Coordinates of all heavy atoms in Angstrom, one line a residue:
V33 N 131.8 105.4 -163.1 CA 133.3 105.7 -163.0 C 133.9 104.4 -163.3 O 133.6 103.3 -162.7 CB 133.6 106.2 -161.6 CG1 135.1 106.4 -161.5 CG2 132.8 107.5 -161.4
G34 N 134.9 104.4 -164.2 CA 135.7 103.2 -164.5 C 135.1 102.3 -165.4 O 135.4 101.1 -165.5
A35 N 134.1 102.7 -166.2 CA 133.4 101.8 -167.1 C 134.3 101.4 -168.2 O 135.1 102.2 -168.8 CB 132.1 102.4 -167.6
T36 N 134.2 100.1 -168.7 CA 134.9 99.6 -169.8 C 134.1 98.8 -170.7 O 133.0 98.3 -170.2 CB 136.1 98.7 -169.3 OG1 135.7 97.7 -168.6 CG2 137.1 99.5 -168.5
S37 N 134.5 98.6 -171.9 CA 133.8 97.8 -172.8 C 134.8 96.8 -173.4 O 135.9 97.2 -173.9 CB 133.2 98.6 -174.0 OG 132.6 97.7 -174.9
V38 N 134.6 95.5 -173.2 CA 135.5 94.4 -173.7 C 134.7 93.4 -174.5 O 133.5 93.2 -174.3 CB 136.2 93.8 -172.4 CG1 137.1 94.8 -171.8 CG2 135.2 93.3 -171.5
R39 N 135.5 92.7 -175.2 CA 134.9 91.6 -176.1 C 135.6 90.3 -175.8 O 136.6 90.1 -176.4 CB 134.9 91.9 -177.5 CG 134.1 93.1 -178.0 CD 134.2 93.4 -179.5 NE 133.4 94.6 -179.8 CZ 132.3 94.5 -180.5 NH1 131.9 93.4 -180.9 NH2 131.7 95.6 -180.8
P40 N 135.1 89.5 -174.9 CA 135.7 88.2 -174.6 C 135.7 87.3 -175.8 O 134.7 87.3 -176.5 CB 134.9 87.7 -173.4 CG 133.6 88.3 -173.5 CD 133.8 89.7 -174.1
R41 N 136.7 86.5 -176.0 CA 136.8 85.6 -177.1 C 136.5 84.2 -176.7 O 136.5 83.3 -177.6 CB 138.2 85.6 -177.7 CG 138.6 87.0 -178.2 CD 137.8 87.5 -179.4 NE 138.2 88.8 -179.8 CZ 137.4 89.6 -180.4 NH1 136.1 89.2 -180.7 NH2 137.7 90.8 -180.8
S42 N 136.3 83.9 -175.4 CA 136.0 82.6 -175.0 C 135.1 82.7 -173.6 O 135.1 83.8 -173.0 CB 137.3 81.8 -174.7 OG 137.9 82.4 -173.6
A43 N 134.6 81.6 -173.2 CA 133.8 81.5 -172.0 C 134.8 81.7 -170.8 O 134.4 82.5 -169.8 CB 133.1 80.2 -171.9
E44 N 136.0 81.2 -170.9 CA 137.0 81.4 -169.8 C 137.3 82.9 -169.7 O 137.5 83.4 -168.6 CB 138.2 80.5 -170.1 CG 138.0 79.1 -170.0 CD 137.3 78.5 -171.3 OE1 137.3 79.2 -172.3 OE2 136.8 77.3 -171.2
E45 N 137.5 83.6 -170.8 CA 137.8 85.0 -170.8 C 136.6 85.8 -170.1 O 136.9 86.7 -169.3 CB 138.2 85.5 -172.2 CG 138.8 86.9 -172.1 CD 139.2 87.3 -173.5 OE1 139.1 86.5 -174.5 OE2 139.6 88.5 -173.6
L46 N 135.5 85.4 -170.5 CA 134.2 86.1 -170.0 C 134.2 85.9 -168.4 O 134.0 86.9 -167.7 CB 133.0 85.6 -170.6 CG 131.7 86.1 -169.9 CD1 131.6 87.6 -170.1 CD2 130.5 85.4 -170.6
I47 N 134.5 84.7 -168.0 CA 134.5 84.4 -166.5 C 135.6 85.3 -165.8 O 135.3 85.8 -164.8 CB 134.6 82.9 -166.3 CG1 133.3 82.2 -166.7 CG2 134.9 82.6 -164.8 CD1 133.5 80.7 -166.8
R48 N 136.7 85.4 -166.4 CA 137.8 86.2 -165.8 C 137.4 87.6 -165.7 O 137.7 88.3 -164.8 CB 139.1 86.0 -166.7 CG 139.9 84.8 -166.3 CD 141.3 84.8 -166.9 NE 141.3 85.2 -168.3 CZ 141.3 84.2 -169.3 NH1 141.1 82.9 -169.0 NH2 141.4 84.6 -170.6
M49 N 136.7 88.1 -166.8 CA 136.3 89.5 -166.7 C 135.2 89.8 -165.7 O 135.2 90.8 -165.0 CB 135.7 89.9 -168.1 CG 136.8 90.0 -169.2 SD 136.0 90.3 -170.8 CE 137.5 90.2 -171.8
L50 N 134.3 88.8 -165.6 CA 133.3 89.0 -164.5 C 133.9 88.9 -163.1 O 133.5 89.6 -162.2 CB 132.2 87.9 -164.7 CG 131.3 88.0 -165.9 CD1 130.4 86.8 -166.1 CD2 130.4 89.3 -165.8
E51 N 134.9 88.0 -162.9 CA 135.5 87.9 -161.7 C 136.3 89.2 -161.3 O 136.3 89.6 -160.2 CB 136.5 86.7 -161.7 CG 137.1 86.4 -160.4 CD 136.1 86.0 -159.3 OE1 135.1 85.4 -159.7 OE2 136.4 86.2 -158.2
F52 N 136.9 89.8 -162.3 CA 137.6 91.1 -162.1 C 136.6 92.1 -161.7 O 136.9 92.9 -160.7 CB 138.3 91.5 -163.4 CG 138.8 92.9 -163.3 CD1 140.0 93.2 -162.6 CD2 138.2 94.0 -163.9 CE1 140.5 94.5 -162.4 CE2 138.7 95.3 -163.8 CZ 139.9 95.5 -163.1
G53 N 135.5 92.1 -162.3 CA 134.4 93.1 -161.9 C 134.0 92.9 -160.4 O 133.8 93.8 -159.7
R54 N 133.9 91.6 -160.1 CA 133.5 91.3 -158.7 C 134.5 91.8 -157.7 O 134.2 92.2 -156.6 CB 133.3 89.8 -158.5 CG 132.7 89.4 -157.2 CD 132.6 87.9 -157.0 NE 133.9 87.3 -156.9 CZ 134.7 87.3 -155.8 NH1 134.3 87.9 -154.8 NH2 135.9 86.7 -155.8
T55 N 135.8 91.8 -158.0 CA 136.8 92.2 -157.1 C 136.8 93.7 -156.9 O 137.3 94.3 -155.9 CB 138.2 91.9 -157.6 OG1 138.6 92.6 -158.8 CG2 138.4 90.4 -157.8
R56 N 136.2 94.4 -157.8 CA 136.0 95.9 -157.7 C 134.9 96.3 -156.8 O 134.7 97.5 -156.5 CB 135.9 96.5 -159.1 CG 136.9 96.2 -160.1 CD 138.1 97.1 -160.1 NE 137.8 98.5 -159.9 CZ 137.8 99.4 -160.8 NH1 138.2 99.2 -162.0 NH2 137.5 100.7 -160.5
R57 N 134.0 95.3 -156.5 CA 132.8 95.6 -155.7 C 133.1 95.9 -154.3 O 134.0 95.3 -153.7 CB 131.9 94.3 -155.8 CG 130.7 94.4 -155.1 CD 129.9 93.1 -155.4 NE 128.7 93.1 -154.6 CZ 128.5 92.3 -153.5 NH1 129.5 91.5 -153.1 NH2 127.3 92.3 -152.9
A58 N 132.5 97.0 -153.8 CA 132.7 97.4 -152.4 C 131.6 96.9 -151.5 O 130.5 97.0 -151.8 CB 132.8 99.0 -152.3
T59 N 132.0 96.3 -150.4 CA 131.0 95.8 -149.4 C 131.5 96.2 -148.0 O 132.6 96.5 -147.8 CB 130.9 94.2 -149.4 OG1 132.1 93.7 -149.1 CG2 130.4 93.7 -150.8
A60 N 130.5 96.3 -147.1 CA 130.8 96.6 -145.7 C 129.7 95.9 -144.8 O 128.6 95.8 -145.3 CB 130.9 98.1 -145.5
A61 N 130.1 95.6 -143.6 CA 129.1 95.1 -142.7 C 128.2 96.3 -142.2 O 128.7 97.3 -142.0 CB 129.8 94.4 -141.5
T62 N 126.9 96.0 -142.1 CA 125.9 96.9 -141.5 C 125.3 96.2 -140.4 O 125.5 95.0 -140.1 CB 124.9 97.4 -142.5 OG1 124.1 96.3 -142.9 CG2 125.6 98.0 -143.7
D63 N 124.4 96.9 -139.6 CA 123.7 96.2 -138.5 C 122.8 95.1 -139.0 O 122.5 94.2 -138.3 CB 122.9 97.2 -137.8 CG 123.7 98.3 -137.0 OD1 124.9 98.0 -136.8 OD2 123.2 99.3 -136.7
V64 N 122.3 95.2 -140.3 CA 121.4 94.2 -140.8 C 122.0 93.2 -141.7 O 121.5 92.1 -141.8 CB 120.3 95.0 -141.6 CG1 119.2 94.1 -142.2 CG2 119.5 96.0 -140.6
N65 N 123.1 93.6 -142.4 CA 123.7 92.7 -143.4 C 125.2 92.7 -143.3 O 125.8 93.7 -143.3 CB 123.2 93.2 -144.8 CG 123.7 92.3 -145.9 OD1 124.5 91.5 -145.8 ND2 123.2 92.7 -147.1
G66 N 125.8 91.5 -143.1 CA 127.2 91.4 -142.9 C 128.0 91.7 -144.2 O 129.2 92.0 -144.1
G67 N 127.4 91.7 -145.3 CA 128.1 91.9 -146.6 C 127.3 92.9 -147.5 O 127.1 92.5 -148.7
S68 N 126.9 93.9 -147.0 CA 126.1 94.9 -147.8 C 126.9 95.6 -148.9 O 127.9 96.0 -148.7 CB 125.5 96.0 -146.9 OG 124.7 96.9 -147.6
S69 N 126.2 95.6 -150.1 CA 126.9 96.2 -151.3 C 126.9 97.8 -151.0 O 126.0 98.3 -150.5 CB 126.0 96.1 -152.5 OG 126.1 94.7 -153.0
R70 N 128.1 98.3 -151.1 CA 128.3 99.7 -150.9 C 128.7 100.4 -152.2 O 129.1 101.6 -152.2 CB 129.4 100.0 -149.9 CG 129.3 99.3 -148.6 CD 127.9 99.2 -148.0 NE 127.4 100.5 -147.4 CZ 126.2 100.7 -147.1 NH1 125.2 99.8 -147.2 NH2 125.8 101.9 -146.6
S71 N 128.5 99.8 -153.3 CA 128.8 100.3 -154.6 C 127.8 99.7 -155.6 O 127.2 98.7 -155.4 CB 130.3 100.1 -155.1 OG 130.5 98.7 -155.2
H72 N 127.7 100.4 -156.7 CA 126.8 99.9 -157.8 C 127.7 99.2 -158.9 O 128.8 99.6 -159.1 CB 126.0 101.0 -158.5 CG 125.2 101.8 -157.6 ND1 124.4 101.3 -156.7 CD2 125.1 103.1 -157.5 CE1 123.7 102.3 -156.0 NE2 124.2 103.4 -156.5
A73 N 127.1 98.2 -159.5 CA 127.9 97.5 -160.6 C 126.9 97.3 -161.7 O 125.7 96.9 -161.5 CB 128.5 96.3 -160.2
V74 N 127.3 97.5 -163.0 CA 126.4 97.3 -164.1 C 127.2 96.5 -165.1 O 128.4 96.8 -165.4 CB 125.9 98.6 -164.7 CG1 125.1 98.3 -166.0 CG2 125.2 99.5 -163.8
C75 N 126.6 95.4 -165.6 CA 127.2 94.5 -166.6 C 126.2 94.3 -167.7 O 125.1 93.8 -167.4 CB 127.7 93.2 -165.9 SG 128.4 92.0 -167.2
R76 N 126.5 94.7 -168.9 CA 125.7 94.4 -170.1 C 126.3 93.4 -171.0 O 127.4 93.6 -171.4 CB 125.4 95.7 -170.8 CG 124.3 95.6 -171.9 CD 124.0 96.8 -172.6 NE 124.8 96.9 -173.8 CZ 124.8 97.9 -174.5 NH1 124.2 99.0 -174.2 NH2 125.6 97.9 -175.6
L77 N 125.6 92.4 -171.2 CA 126.1 91.3 -172.1 C 125.3 91.5 -173.4 O 124.0 91.4 -173.4 CB 125.9 90.0 -171.5 CG 126.6 89.7 -170.2 CD1 126.1 88.3 -169.6 CD2 128.1 89.8 -170.4
D78 N 125.9 91.7 -174.6 CA 125.3 91.8 -175.8 C 125.6 90.5 -176.6 O 126.7 90.0 -176.6 CB 125.9 93.0 -176.7 CG 125.5 94.3 -176.0 OD1 124.4 94.5 -175.6 OD2 126.4 95.1 -176.0
F79 N 124.5 89.9 -177.2 CA 124.6 88.7 -177.9 C 124.5 88.9 -179.3 O 123.7 89.7 -179.8 CB 123.5 87.7 -177.4 CG 123.7 87.3 -175.9 CD1 123.0 88.1 -174.9 CD2 124.6 86.4 -175.5 CE1 123.2 87.8 -173.6 CE2 124.7 86.1 -174.1 CZ 124.0 86.8 -173.2
V80 N 125.3 88.2 -180.2 CA 125.3 88.4 -181.6 C 125.0 87.0 -182.2 O 125.5 86.0 -181.6 CB 126.6 89.0 -182.2 CG1 126.7 90.5 -181.6 CG2 127.8 88.2 -181.8
G81 N 124.4 87.0 -183.3 CA 124.1 85.8 -184.0 C 125.3 85.4 -184.9 O 126.4 86.0 -184.9
S82 N 125.2 84.2 -185.5 CA 126.3 83.7 -186.3 C 126.6 84.6 -187.5 O 127.8 84.6 -188.0 CB 126.0 82.3 -186.8 OG 124.8 82.3 -187.6
D83 N 125.7 85.5 -187.9 CA 125.9 86.4 -189.0 C 126.5 87.7 -188.5 O 126.7 88.6 -189.2 CB 124.6 86.7 -189.7 CG 123.5 87.4 -188.8 OD1 123.8 87.5 -187.6 OD2 122.5 87.7 -189.4
G84 N 126.8 87.8 -187.1 CA 127.3 89.0 -186.5 C 126.3 90.1 -186.2 O 126.7 91.1 -185.6
G85 N 125.1 89.8 -186.5 CA 124.0 90.8 -186.2 C 123.5 90.6 -184.7 O 123.7 89.6 -184.1
P86 N 123.0 91.7 -184.2 CA 122.6 91.7 -182.8 C 121.4 90.7 -182.6 O 120.5 90.6 -183.4 CB 122.1 93.1 -182.5 CG 121.8 93.7 -183.8 CD 122.7 93.0 -184.8
M87 N 121.5 90.0 -181.4 CA 120.4 89.1 -181.0 C 119.7 89.6 -179.8 O 118.5 89.3 -179.6 CB 120.9 87.6 -180.8 CG 121.3 86.9 -182.0 SD 121.8 85.3 -181.6 CE 120.4 84.6 -180.9
G88 N 120.4 90.3 -179.0 CA 119.7 90.8 -177.7 C 120.8 91.1 -176.7 O 122.0 91.0 -176.9
S89 N 120.3 91.6 -175.6 CA 121.2 92.1 -174.5 C 120.6 91.6 -173.1 O 119.4 91.4 -173.0 CB 121.3 93.6 -174.4 OG 121.9 94.1 -175.6
L90 N 121.6 91.4 -172.2 CA 121.2 91.1 -170.8 C 121.9 92.1 -170.0 O 123.1 92.2 -170.0 CB 121.7 89.6 -170.5 CG 121.5 89.2 -169.0 CD1 120.0 89.2 -168.7 CD2 122.1 87.8 -168.9
L91 N 121.1 92.7 -169.1 CA 121.7 93.8 -168.3 C 121.6 93.2 -166.8 O 120.5 92.9 -166.3 CB 120.9 95.0 -168.4 CG 121.4 96.3 -167.8 CD1 122.7 96.7 -168.3 CD2 120.4 97.4 -168.0
L92 N 122.8 93.2 -166.2 CA 122.9 92.7 -164.8 C 123.3 93.9 -164.0 O 124.3 94.6 -164.2 CB 124.0 91.6 -164.6 CG 123.8 90.4 -165.6 CD1 125.0 89.5 -165.5 CD2 122.5 89.6 -165.2
I93 N 122.5 94.2 -162.9 CA 122.8 95.4 -162.1 C 122.8 95.0 -160.6 O 121.9 94.3 -160.1 CB 121.7 96.5 -162.3 CG1 121.7 96.9 -163.7 CG2 122.0 97.7 -161.4 CD1 120.6 97.8 -164.1
D94 N 123.9 95.3 -160.0 CA 124.0 95.1 -158.5 C 124.0 96.4 -157.8 O 124.9 97.2 -158.0 CB 125.3 94.4 -158.1 CG 125.5 94.2 -156.7 OD1 124.5 94.2 -155.9 OD2 126.7 94.0 -156.2
C95 N 122.9 96.8 -157.2 CA 122.8 98.1 -156.6 C 123.2 98.1 -155.1 O 123.0 97.1 -154.4 CB 121.3 98.6 -156.6 SG 120.7 98.9 -158.3
A96 N 124.0 99.1 -154.8 CA 124.3 99.3 -153.4 C 123.1 99.3 -152.5 O 122.1 99.8 -152.9 CB 125.2 100.5 -153.2
G97 N 123.1 98.9 -151.3 CA 122.0 98.8 -150.5 C 122.1 99.8 -149.3 O 123.2 100.1 -148.8
T98 N 121.0 100.3 -148.9 CA 120.9 101.0 -147.7 C 119.8 100.4 -146.8 O 118.9 99.8 -147.3 CB 120.5 102.5 -147.9 OG1 119.2 102.6 -148.6 CG2 121.6 103.2 -148.8
E99 N 119.9 100.6 -145.5 CA 118.9 100.0 -144.6 C 117.8 101.0 -144.4 O 118.0 102.2 -144.7 CB 119.6 99.8 -143.2 CG 120.5 98.6 -143.2 CD 121.8 98.9 -143.9 OE1 122.3 100.1 -143.7 OE2 122.4 98.1 -144.6
R100 N 116.7 100.5 -144.0 CA 115.7 101.4 -143.6 C 116.1 102.4 -142.5 O 117.0 102.0 -141.8 CB 114.5 100.6 -143.1 CG 113.9 99.7 -144.2 CD 112.8 98.8 -143.6 NE 113.5 98.0 -142.6 CZ 112.9 97.0 -141.9 NH1 111.6 96.8 -142.0 NH2 113.6 96.3 -141.0
S101 N 115.5 103.5 -142.4 CA 116.0 104.5 -141.5 C 115.9 104.0 -140.0 O 116.8 104.3 -139.2 CB 115.2 105.8 -141.6 OG 113.8 105.6 -141.4
H102 N 114.9 103.2 -139.8 CA 114.8 102.6 -138.4 C 116.0 101.7 -138.1 O 116.6 101.7 -137.0 CB 113.5 101.8 -138.3 CG 113.4 101.0 -137.0 ND1 113.1 101.6 -135.8 CD2 113.6 99.7 -136.8 CE1 113.1 100.7 -134.9 NE2 113.4 99.5 -135.5
D103 N 116.5 100.9 -139.1 CA 117.6 100.0 -138.9 C 119.0 100.8 -138.8 O 119.9 100.2 -138.3 CB 117.7 99.0 -140.1 CG 116.5 98.0 -140.1 OD1 115.9 97.8 -139.0 OD2 116.1 97.5 -141.1
S104 N 119.0 102.0 -139.4 CA 120.3 102.7 -139.4 C 120.3 103.8 -138.4 O 121.2 104.6 -138.5 CB 120.5 103.2 -140.9 OG 119.5 104.1 -141.3
M105 N 119.4 103.9 -137.5 CA 119.3 105.0 -136.6 C 120.6 105.1 -135.7 O 120.9 106.2 -135.2 CB 118.1 105.0 -135.7 CG 118.0 103.8 -134.8 SD 116.6 103.6 -133.8 CE 115.5 104.9 -134.2
Y106 N 121.3 104.1 -135.6 CA 122.5 104.1 -134.7 C 123.8 104.2 -135.5 O 124.9 104.1 -134.9 CB 122.6 102.9 -133.8 CG 121.3 102.7 -133.0 CD1 120.4 101.8 -133.2 CD2 121.1 103.6 -132.0 CE1 119.2 101.7 -132.4 CE2 120.0 103.6 -131.1 CZ 119.1 102.6 -131.4 OH 117.9 102.5 -130.6
H107 N 123.7 104.4 -136.8 CA 124.9 104.6 -137.6 C 125.6 105.9 -137.3 O 125.0 106.9 -137.0 CB 124.5 104.5 -139.1 CG 124.2 103.2 -139.6 ND1 123.8 103.0 -140.9 CD2 124.2 102.0 -139.0 CE1 123.6 101.7 -141.1 NE2 123.8 101.0 -140.0
D108 N 126.9 105.9 -137.5 CA 127.7 107.1 -137.3 C 127.4 108.1 -138.5 O 126.8 107.7 -139.5 CB 129.1 106.8 -137.1 CG 129.8 106.1 -138.3 OD1 129.3 106.2 -139.4 OD2 130.9 105.6 -138.1
A109 N 128.0 109.3 -138.4 CA 127.8 110.3 -139.4 C 128.3 109.9 -140.7 O 127.7 110.2 -141.8 CB 128.4 111.6 -138.9
Q110 N 129.4 109.2 -140.8 CA 130.0 108.8 -142.0 C 129.1 107.8 -142.7 O 128.8 107.9 -144.0 CB 131.4 108.2 -141.8 CG 132.0 107.6 -143.1 CD 132.3 108.7 -144.2 OE1 132.5 109.8 -143.8 NE2 132.1 108.3 -145.4
R111 N 128.5 106.8 -142.0 CA 127.7 105.8 -142.6 C 126.3 106.4 -143.0 O 125.8 106.1 -144.1 CB 127.4 104.7 -141.6 CG 126.5 103.5 -142.1 CD 127.0 102.8 -143.4 NE 128.4 102.4 -143.3 CZ 128.8 101.2 -142.9 NH1 127.9 100.3 -142.5 NH2 130.0 100.8 -142.9
R112 N 125.8 107.4 -142.3 CA 124.6 108.1 -142.8 C 124.9 108.9 -144.0 O 124.0 108.9 -144.9 CB 124.1 109.0 -141.6 CG 123.4 108.3 -140.5 CD 122.6 109.2 -139.6 NE 123.5 110.3 -139.0 CZ 124.2 110.1 -137.9 NH1 124.2 109.0 -137.2 NH2 124.9 111.1 -137.4
K113 N 126.1 109.5 -144.1 CA 126.4 110.3 -145.3 C 126.5 109.3 -146.6 O 126.0 109.6 -147.6 CB 127.7 111.0 -145.1 CG 128.1 111.8 -146.4 CD 129.5 112.5 -146.1 CE 129.9 113.2 -147.3 NZ 131.3 113.3 -147.5
E114 N 127.1 108.2 -146.3 CA 127.3 107.2 -147.3 C 125.9 106.7 -147.8 O 125.7 106.5 -149.0 CB 128.1 106.0 -146.8 CG 128.3 104.9 -147.8 CD 129.1 103.7 -147.1 OE1 128.4 103.0 -146.3 OE2 130.3 103.5 -147.5
S115 N 125.0 106.4 -146.8 CA 123.6 106.0 -147.2 C 122.9 107.1 -148.0 O 122.2 106.8 -149.0 CB 122.8 105.7 -145.9 OG 123.4 104.6 -145.3
A116 N 123.1 108.4 -147.7 CA 122.5 109.4 -148.5 C 123.0 109.4 -149.9 O 122.3 109.6 -150.8 CB 122.6 110.7 -147.8
E117 N 124.3 109.2 -150.0 CA 124.9 109.3 -151.4 C 124.4 108.0 -152.2 O 124.2 108.2 -153.4 CB 126.5 109.3 -151.2 CG 127.0 110.6 -150.7 CD 128.5 110.5 -150.4 OE1 129.1 109.4 -150.4 OE2 129.0 111.6 -150.1
I118 N 124.3 106.9 -151.5 CA 123.8 105.7 -152.2 C 122.4 105.9 -152.7 O 122.0 105.7 -153.9 CB 123.9 104.5 -151.3 CG1 125.3 104.0 -151.2 CG2 123.0 103.4 -151.9 CD1 125.6 102.9 -150.2
N119 N 121.6 106.5 -151.9 CA 120.2 106.8 -152.3 C 120.1 107.8 -153.4 O 119.3 107.6 -154.4 CB 119.3 107.4 -151.1 CG 119.0 106.3 -150.1 OD1 118.9 105.2 -150.5 ND2 118.7 106.7 -148.9
Q120 N 121.0 108.9 -153.4 CA 121.0 109.8 -154.6 C 121.4 109.0 -155.8 O 120.9 109.3 -156.9 CB 122.0 110.9 -154.3 CG 121.5 111.9 -153.3 CD 122.5 112.9 -153.0 OE1 123.8 112.7 -153.1 NE2 122.1 114.1 -152.5
S121 N 122.4 108.2 -155.8 CA 122.9 107.5 -156.9 C 121.9 106.5 -157.4 O 121.8 106.2 -158.7 CB 124.3 106.8 -156.7 OG 124.2 105.8 -155.7
L122 N 121.1 105.9 -156.5 CA 120.1 105.0 -156.9 C 119.0 105.7 -157.7 O 118.4 105.2 -158.7 CB 119.4 104.2 -155.7 CG 120.2 103.1 -155.1 CD1 119.6 102.7 -153.8 CD2 120.4 102.0 -156.0
Y123 N 118.6 106.9 -157.3 CA 117.7 107.7 -158.0 C 118.2 108.1 -159.4 O 117.5 108.0 -160.4 CB 117.4 109.0 -157.2 CG 116.4 109.9 -157.9 CD1 115.0 109.6 -157.9 CD2 116.8 111.0 -158.6 CE1 114.1 110.4 -158.5 CE2 115.9 111.8 -159.3 CZ 114.6 111.5 -159.3 OH 113.7 112.3 -159.9
A124 N 119.5 108.4 -159.5 CA 120.1 108.7 -160.8 C 120.1 107.5 -161.7 O 119.8 107.6 -162.9 CB 121.6 109.2 -160.6
L125 N 120.4 106.3 -161.1 CA 120.4 105.1 -161.9 C 119.0 104.8 -162.4 O 118.8 104.5 -163.6 CB 120.9 103.9 -161.1 CG 120.8 102.5 -161.7 CD1 121.7 102.5 -163.0 CD2 121.3 101.5 -160.8
K126 N 117.9 105.0 -161.6 CA 116.6 104.8 -162.0 C 116.2 105.8 -163.2 O 115.6 105.3 -164.1 CB 115.7 105.1 -160.8 CG 114.2 105.0 -161.2 CD 113.3 105.3 -160.0 CE 113.2 106.8 -159.8 NZ 112.2 107.2 -158.8
S127 N 116.7 107.0 -163.1 CA 116.4 108.0 -164.2 C 117.1 107.5 -165.5 O 116.5 107.6 -166.6 CB 116.9 109.4 -163.7 OG 116.2 109.8 -162.6
C128 N 118.3 107.0 -165.4 CA 119.0 106.5 -166.6 C 118.3 105.4 -167.2 O 118.1 105.3 -168.4 CB 120.5 106.1 -166.2 SG 121.5 107.5 -165.8
I129 N 117.9 104.4 -166.4 CA 117.2 103.2 -166.9 C 115.8 103.7 -167.5 O 115.5 103.2 -168.7 CB 116.9 102.2 -165.8 CG1 118.3 101.6 -165.4 CG2 116.0 101.1 -166.3 CD1 118.2 100.7 -164.1
R130 N 115.1 104.5 -166.9 CA 113.9 105.0 -167.5 C 114.1 105.8 -168.8 O 113.4 105.6 -169.8 CB 113.1 105.9 -166.6 CG 112.5 105.2 -165.5 CD 111.7 106.2 -164.6 NE 110.9 105.4 -163.6 CZ 110.4 105.9 -162.5 NH1 110.4 107.2 -162.4 NH2 109.7 105.2 -161.7
A131 N 115.2 106.5 -168.9 CA 115.5 107.2 -170.2 C 115.9 106.2 -171.3 O 115.5 106.4 -172.4 CB 116.6 108.3 -169.9
A132 N 116.6 105.2 -170.9 CA 117.0 104.3 -171.9 C 115.8 103.5 -172.4 O 115.7 103.2 -173.6 CB 118.1 103.3 -171.3
N133 N 114.9 103.1 -171.5 CA 113.7 102.4 -171.9 C 112.8 103.3 -172.8 O 112.1 102.8 -173.7 CB 112.9 101.9 -170.7 CG 113.6 100.7 -170.2 OD1 114.3 100.0 -170.8 ND2 113.4 100.5 -168.9
A134 N 112.8 104.6 -172.5 CA 111.9 105.5 -173.3 C 112.4 105.6 -174.7 O 111.6 105.9 -175.7 CB 111.9 106.9 -172.7
R135 N 113.7 105.4 -175.0 CA 114.3 105.5 -176.3 C 114.0 104.3 -177.2 O 114.1 104.3 -178.4 CB 115.8 105.7 -176.3 CG 116.2 107.0 -175.8 CD 117.7 107.2 -176.1 NE 118.5 106.2 -175.4 CZ 119.3 106.4 -174.4 NH1 119.5 107.6 -173.9 NH2 120.0 105.4 -173.9
R136 N 113.5 103.2 -176.5 CA 113.2 101.9 -177.3 C 111.9 102.0 -178.0 O 111.0 102.4 -177.8 CB 113.3 100.8 -176.3 CG 114.7 100.5 -175.9 CD 114.8 99.4 -175.0 NE 116.2 99.2 -174.6 CZ 116.7 98.1 -174.3 NH1 116.0 97.0 -174.3 NH2 118.0 98.0 -173.9

């Protein structure tokens, strides 16, 4: 949700774009981690050569975290629901990555 594709023209512009992405990241304190990721973020950097041809890609992924069931046994209903949704989306992300690798 909210994916965009941009082409920075300078290192400074790239840093601004990465910083903007960081501001969209959702975090919350949990019993185990004071700044647990509560959202996923994906950043793909494509590199091109001086001839404009593709050289490679770097994929950066920040996955939302959930605690082990033992660590989250005292969470309220909302946090347990959030954890279940995160686990479902992690499974979907895994499926997407496997499908993308299978096409290569």
Side-chain angles (χ1 to χ4, degrees):
V33 175
T36 59
S37 178
V38 293
R39 292 179 184 252
R41 302 293 178 205
S42 66
E44 293 80 14
E45 190 176 356
L46 173 61
I47 290 169
R48 280 194 306 274
M49 291 173 184
L50 291 171
E51 189 62 29
F52 172 74
R54 190 184 66 78
T55 65
R56 306 270 322 251
R57 183 174 173 253
T59 61
T62 65
D63 291 341
V64 178
N65 184 350
S68 180
S69 292
R70 309 316 289 167
S71 62
H72 304 312
V74 177
C75 178
R76 188 176 95 187
L77 302 173
D78 293 316
F79 299 93
V80 296
S82 57
D83 64 352
M87 289 183 56
S89 295
L90 174 64
L91 192 60
L92 306 170
I93 301 173
D94 177 21
C95 293
T98 59
E99 289 75 38
R100 297 172 296 181
S101 60
H102 172 75
D103 293 332
S104 61
M105 65 183 0
Y106 302 109
H107 286 176
D108 61 21
Q110 178 60 33
R111 182 56 55 91
R112 285 193 303 272
K113 180 180 179 213
E114 181 183 72
S115 293
E117 290 171 352
I118 288 170
N119 284 339
Q120 287 176 333
S121 62
L122 286 171
Y123 180 78
L125 178 61
K126 177 181 78 171
S127 298
C128 290
I129 291 170
R130 285 183 174 170
N133 284 335
R135 287 192 306 247
R136 290 180 179 210

